[in-house]
Amino acid sequence: MGKNLKGKEIGQGIIQKADGRYEARYTDRFGKRRSISGYDLKDVKKRYNEAIYENDKEVNLRENVKLDEWYEKWMNVYKYDSIRNNTRRYYDQVYKKHISPYLGNFYLRDITNLKVRELIKILDKQGYQFETKNKVRILLVDMLNKAVFDEFLRKNPARGISIKRDKEKETRVLSLEEQIDFFDCCKGTFYDNFFNVAVLTGMRIGEIAALRMEDIDFDNKIIHVNRTLVYQKYEGDDKRFFILNCQKLKQVYAQFQ
């Protein structure tokens, strides 16, 4: 029990200073020492009890942060070294185009489940499909999960939201006659080999564009894919450039003629 200057007990954790001020001290759940002081003992006790209650119930949070600020922290701390540059640029594009204009200026604690659902509804009305809406949801869930972990939020307002998949469209493939007509038309053109490799292997455009002769094993009919050609604008650049990016090695078996 703390005591006043006359030796009278005045309450747990409270003392009276030589100048007559009362001071209550405690350690919050973040490990930081806190103190409440004043010349009115009743007022100090009231504020002290409120602070202890808020700390125990985890009502008090860290400083308020806007979503735009938190995105930068989340990207630079949690994602920067764990994702590739292309993935980072894709996240930046999704966030800045679809999330920031609607939620970026809101403080984290002011973002509700309703606001996230309203954002998804806006994207739906703008004609965006399942993949875009679901990527927005995934980014928000991960960003706000980390905000909860770092005690900027008590709970994640983006959790529990499901996105309805678009109705599957029937895939149409070229008939045998159409395929013959297609390759007859491209025969002898600059793109003849390109189209043949694409159709016979299923390789991506960037992977085919980055191929070199030494990547092709004609004897065993194998193509080694270890890079891709991308057309990107990197940080600090004023325009896009063609860049060769290395990637995990894979082998593609092709039926060479």
Side-chain angles (χ1 to χ4, degrees):
M1 281 288 190
K3 297 182 179 181
N4 63 13
L5 296 177
K6 296 180 180 180
K8 182 180 178 180
E9 293 182 351
I10 55 177
Q12 181 70 36
I14 304 175
I15 61 172
Q16 188 177 26
K17 298 282 193 175
D19 61 0
R21 286 184 305 112
Y22 295 96
E23 184 177 57
R25 296 179 179 179
Y26 70 98
T27 302
D28 67 17
R29 71 181 194 280
F30 306 120
K32 187 173 183 178
R33 289 286 292 171
R34 302 283 185 179
S35 67
I36 297 170
S37 63
Y39 289 99
D40 186 334
L41 177 59
K42 185 177 180 179
D43 177 64
V44 170
K45 282 186 176 182
K46 179 177 178 294
R47 289 189 286 130
Y48 173 67
N49 290 330
E50 288 175 349
I52 293 297
Y53 173 81
E54 290 180 353
N55 186 69
D56 290 344
K57 297 299 182 181
E58 299 186 359
V59 174
N60 54 326
L61 299 167
R62 297 188 186 276
E63 70 271 17
N64 219 346
V65 176
K66 290 185 177 181
L67 187 64
D68 277 350
E69 297 173 295
W70 180 247
Y71 174 77
E72 296 300 327
K73 291 178 183 289
W74 172 78
M75 177 61 73
N76 291 326
V77 174
Y78 289 105
K79 293 296 179 182
Y80 196 88
D81 295 329
S82 63
I83 59 176
R84 294 186 300 177
N85 287 334
N86 282 346
T87 305
R88 175 175 178 162
R89 283 190 292 274
Y90 175 63
Y91 285 178
D92 281 343
Q93 178 184 351
V94 171
Y95 180 81
K96 292 174 182 177
K97 183 176 182 179
H98 301 304
I99 300 177
S100 179
Y102 305 99
L103 297 177
N105 206 37
F106 280 96
Y107 288 106
L108 293 182
R109 67 182 63 180
D110 294 331
I111 297 175
T112 63
N113 185 273
L114 176 62
K115 282 187 171 62
V116 177
R117 291 180 183 274
E118 287 175 342
L119 169 57
I120 301 299
K121 182 63 68 176
I122 289 172
L123 295 176
D124 184 68
K125 289 181 179 180
Q126 291 177 345
Y128 289 101
Q129 301 301 307
F130 171 81
E131 292 299 332
T132 298
K133 293 181 289 186
N134 195 49
K135 178 54 68 175
V136 166
R137 182 190 66 84
I138 290 172
L139 281 183
L140 283 172
V141 168
D142 192 49
M143 288 170 59
L144 299 178
N145 270 344
K146 299 302 187 298
V148 172
F149 178 78
D150 282 321
E151 298 178 318
F152 288 93
L153 283 173
R154 291 194 299 277
K155 62 180 181 179
N156 187 340
R159 293 185 67 86
I161 296 177
S162 59
I163 310 294
K164 186 177 180 181
R165 284 190 172 274
D166 304 317
K167 292 183 179 179
E168 292 188 7
K169 297 180 180 179
E170 184 177 353
T171 304
R172 180 188 180 281
V173 297
L174 295 177
S175 67
L176 180 59
E177 292 77 13
E178 289 172 328
Q179 292 178 49
I180 293 173
D181 290 340
F182 176 82
F183 284 110
D184 280 344
C185 288
C186 74
K187 189 173 297 182
T189 69
F190 175 80
Y191 295 103
D192 188 18
N193 287 333
F194 190 97
F195 287 139
N196 274 277
V197 173
V199 171
L200 294 174
T201 66
M203 290 172 60
R204 299 182 179 93
I205 293 176
E207 294 172 342
I208 299 174
L211 284 179
R212 299 177 301 183
M213 288 302 298
E214 54 263 37
D215 297 324
I216 304 174
D217 184 346
F218 288 96
D219 294 332
N220 296 303
K221 299 180 180 179
I222 297 175
I223 297 176
H224 298 276
V225 181
N226 51 27
R227 65 185 60 80
T228 184
L229 184 67
V230 297
Y231 185 56
Q232 293 285 356
K233 179 181 178 181
Y234 285 83
E235 292 184 21
D237 293 337
D238 56 357
K239 61 181 180 180
R240 293 184 177 187
F241 294 95
F242 284 102
I243 305 293
L244 280 172
N245 281 347
C246 294
Q247 59 186 39
K248 293 182 179 179
L249 179 66
K250 70 177 181 179
Q251 294 180 342
V252 178
Y253 293 87
Q255 183 63 48
F256 297 116
Q257 297 182 359

